[in-house]
Amino acid sequence: SAWCVPYNDLVQDVNKDGSPRYYTYSPSTVNYGAIPQTWEDPHHADAHTGLGGDNDPIDVLQLNEGSCVAGAVQRVRVLGALALVDGGETDWKLLVVDVDAADAPAWRELGDVPAERVNEVREWFRLYKTSDGKPPNEYGLNGEPIDAAAALAVAAETHALWGGAGRARCEFGGEPCWGMEARRSVDWRSAGAAVFALLAVAQLYFIVTAVQRKRRALAAASPKKKR
């Protein structure tokens, strides 16, 4: 996983067994990214789901149609979040809009987003692993999204977990997460100040790690995982 590499190099995403990870269900319906300096701690029971985290940074799903390139850094507005439960682990999905995109709608809160758009995203993430023979994912809160204020509180908590004493137990594949050893000499409080400032105004930066929305040609050309 890229989060285990010092300075978060962009690398091919992998499954837990180390094999390359590809979507076999269908192309992603969103630009898919994450917020640096956050951590969903497997040892910390989430208040909404009662389950530990998935050992990853918190995920971000862009709801507007604007395209992006892998590795781009974008400025987004948080509208809400879905409490995905994947394999018994909490895997929050922040729902956002890219405020600088040419097609950025005037969405200020989740109620402004067409219900069918939220449903499309919710169903895709519920079912996308079924093409690999796995059961559907579940959702906490009966699949209902939380609002922007609650979503920002979740994001702030994952940032606190990233910077707290518990970060020392974060590992992936036997290696410290995010180049943990390399950054222990860094003062996380000053490094995280910008993140908290952005949280306060509901605008977060996230790194896009997925391909552009509905790039079917690219998906068709990607190697397929053996069944």
Side-chain angles (χ1 to χ4, degrees):
S1 175
W3 309 107
C4 308
V5 179
Y7 311 111
N8 300 160
D9 291 354
L10 291 176
V11 299
Q12 169 65 46
D13 196 12
V14 296
N15 297 304
K16 290 186 177 180
D17 64 2
S19 61
R21 182 184 181 193
Y22 302 102
Y23 292 140
T24 60
Y25 178 68
S26 74
S28 176
T29 60
V30 293
N31 288 328
Y32 189 13
I35 301 178
Q37 299 185 2
T38 62
W39 177 40
E40 295 195 73
D41 183 353
H43 304 280
H44 176 78
D46 180 82
H48 297 273
T49 66
L51 300 171
D54 67 346
N55 205 34
D56 279 339
I58 194 167
D59 293 332
V60 177
L61 311 182
Q62 179 193 305
L63 297 182
N64 61 293
E65 299 282 343
S67 62
C68 65
V69 295
V73 178
Q74 296 183 359
R75 194 167 62 103
V76 303
R77 177 178 299 114
V78 175
L79 305 174
L82 289 165
L84 184 71
V85 176
D86 185 349
E89 299 173 333
T90 303
D91 185 11
W92 279 102
K93 307 297 185 187
L94 295 183
L95 305 176
V96 310
V97 59
D98 176 3
V99 296
D100 298 315
D103 75 329
W107 295 339
R108 307 295 301 186
E109 56 189 32
L110 203 56
D112 297 330
V113 182
E116 57 269 21
R117 178 58 172 147
V118 177
N119 291 337
E120 176 188 30
V121 172
R122 178 169 40 214
E123 281 301 286
W124 195 92
F125 279 93
R126 187 176 73 85
L127 298 173
Y128 80 102
K129 289 189 174 181
T130 58
S131 61
D132 296 325
K134 298 179 180 179
N137 287 324
E138 300 176 348
Y139 284 98
L141 306 174
N142 296 316
E144 292 300 316
I146 58 177
D147 64 17
L152 287 167
V154 169
E157 181 180 44
T158 63
H159 176 65
L161 290 169
W162 173 88
R167 69 185 185 181
R169 61 176 175 252
C170 180
E171 64 175 38
F172 191 98
E175 297 293 330
C177 293
W178 314 303
M180 195 73 69
E181 295 295 337
R183 72 170 176 79
R184 278 192 179 131
S185 62
V186 177
D187 183 353
W188 71 268
R189 294 170 184 82
S190 60
V195 176
F196 274 123
L198 289 167
L199 284 170
V201 297
Q203 291 180 344
L204 301 172
Y205 286 93
F206 77 99
I207 296 177
V208 176
T209 57
V211 297
Q212 297 182 11
R213 184 177 184 272
K214 293 187 176 178
R215 291 293 298 274
R216 300 188 184 277
L218 180 58
S222 298
K224 298 297 183 183
K225 196 169 132 183
K226 292 184 180 178
R227 305 228 180 149

